[in-house]
Amino acid sequence: MIRLLWLDYLTTLRERKTWLCVAMLAYALVAIPVVLARPPAHVRAAIAAWFGDAAPFQVFMYVWIDLTMNKVIAFLPVVLASGIVLRERDTGVLPLLASKPLSIPRYFVLRALSACAVMVTLHVATQLAGAAYFTARVPGFRPGPFLGAMSLHAFAALFATALCAAIAAWVRHRGASALIGFGTLGGLVGLSLIGFYQPAWRSLTLANPITLGALGLGSLDHLGPAVLGPPMLALAALTALAIAVGAAGVRRMEA
């Protein structure tokens, strides 16, 4: 099982869809200092409402998380996970797999874990490259808090990928699962920072997994295990739950 997972992970890394994701992330890395120099009007208004006279690093983190990484995890998981098991079914490979000792639900779990591993690999590589690049390009950049906040955000990316895989398992149509996955993640991303703008809604927005991934944005000066640990554990549990729900959905394919 572990050997098969490793081989699937390596295969997914070499696929064209993964290189499309790499190109998008590379573009984001290069473009964000330009966007930061002259942010859009609605971004300036949001920064003024929340931060006031904020330090440049706080402004950068808002732009990086809201304009870049949240948008990334609304799209990349759909590319990586919305066709899990469905492609094998549509190409006629799934009945052959069903005849093997590896059941379809276990195969789904393997493929979902592989997609999640690829998503985390891309996310972590982007943040490490960003820590080096932004140090030279962004005034007041702080690599430590940046990597701490983005390590939490990686768990949100993990959950988003597992959620897209679970949607594919229940919808059972590649086009529809991609649209539903993108719409669902787009809604979660769009609502993720409302608690920062409207403190009265802060408790309600904690039910949004993408909000949990962005909590480091409000604690950049004192990130630590007490701040990062609970949301990481919650997102890990939600990821496991999403994969379990998806495995239950693909059991219908065995009937």
Side-chain angles (χ1 to χ4, degrees), residues 46 49-50 62 65-66 70 186-208 210-212 214-215 217:
W50 181 20
Y62 174 90
I65 288 179
D66 186 46
N70 272 358
L188 292 175
V189 164
L191 297 172
S192 63
L193 298 184
I194 286 182
F196 293 106
Y197 311 141
Q198 301 290 338
W201 298 352
R202 184 71 176 269
S203 298
L204 291 175
T205 60
L206 293 178
N208 182 347
I210 309 303
T211 297
L212 295 180
L215 286 180
L217 191 56

Side-chain angles (χ1 to χ4, degrees), residues 141-214:
F141 182 76
R142 296 156 57 192
F146 170 79
L147 291 175
M150 298 318 297
S151 66
L152 173 57
H153 195 270
F155 281 78
L158 188 72
F159 165 77
T161 308
L163 179 62
C164 282
I167 290 172
W170 283 93
V171 174
R172 297 199 293 176
H173 186 280
R174 280 193 283 180
S177 69
L179 287 174
I180 294 172
F182 182 71
T184 301
L185 290 178
L188 292 175
V189 164
L191 297 172
S192 63
L193 298 184
I194 286 182
F196 293 106
Y197 311 141
Q198 301 290 338
W201 298 352
R202 184 71 176 269
S203 298
L204 291 175
T205 60
L206 293 178
N208 182 347
I210 309 303
T211 297
L212 295 180

Side-chain angles (χ1 to χ4, degrees), residues 39-132:
H42 73 280
V43 173
R44 290 197 300 269
I47 292 171
W50 181 20
F51 288 118
D53 295 326
F57 178 66
Q58 290 176 306
V59 175
F60 164 79
M61 287 301 297
Y62 174 90
V63 173
W64 178 246
I65 288 179
D66 186 46
L67 290 188
T68 305
M69 293 311 300
N70 272 358
K71 305 304 184 289
V72 162
I73 65 173
F75 181 76
L76 263 60
V78 177
V79 175
L80 293 173
S82 62
I84 284 179
V85 177
L86 301 182
R87 182 173 61 181
E88 289 86 340
R89 183 205 60 190
D90 294 343
T91 56
V93 175
L94 198 60
L96 178 62
L97 292 171
S99 68
K100 303 299 181 182
L102 185 65
S103 67
I104 294 178
R106 289 185 66 191
Y107 180 72
F108 168 83
V109 170
L110 182 147
R111 294 297 317 282
L113 290 175
S114 174
C116 287
V118 170
M119 181 71 247
V120 171
T121 298
L122 297 179
H123 193 288
V124 171
T126 300
Q127 309 319 314
L128 292 176

